[in-house]
Amino acid sequence: EEDGLDTLWDTVRANLPERLFDTSYAMACDVVAADGKAGEGELRLLEDMRYELNIDRLLAAAIEAGARARHRVL
């Protein structure tokens, strides 16, 4: 749908407690990092998520670094 992402973010904000916004962002980062490569679409979705859920930039950077570290392979 044309407004699909807007509907998604409205639904998330309406149904997910605000205290879990950063947790949901962390889970999304883990999903993106799991295969060891982040595509442009995935990165754009994470950027939208940070904006729509008002995730602080420093907190987002820490979450992203943690996801990269957890999914790094030798």
Side-chain angles (χ1 to χ4, degrees):
E1 289 186 29
E2 188 171 315
D3 296 329
L5 285 178
D6 291 333
T7 301
L8 168 70
W9 298 127
D10 290 342
T11 302
V12 168
R13 282 190 298 272
N15 293 288
L16 186 67
E18 189 173 339
R19 65 184 174 83
L20 296 177
F21 284 4
D22 57 349
T23 304
S24 65
Y25 185 72
M27 292 176 66
C29 287
D30 278 339
V31 169
V32 169
D35 67 356
K37 51 190 169 203
E40 188 176 320
E42 292 169 318
L43 295 175
R44 191 173 310 122
L45 186 62
L46 287 176
E47 183 180 348
D48 287 349
M49 190 173 193
R50 282 192 308 266
Y51 174 78
E52 295 292 339
L53 299 182
N54 198 27
I55 305 291
D56 178 75
R57 286 182 163 271
L58 290 177
L59 177 59
I63 290 170
E64 293 160 7
R68 281 191 303 271
R70 278 190 300 282
H71 296 281
R72 191 170 292 140
V73 295
L74 295 174

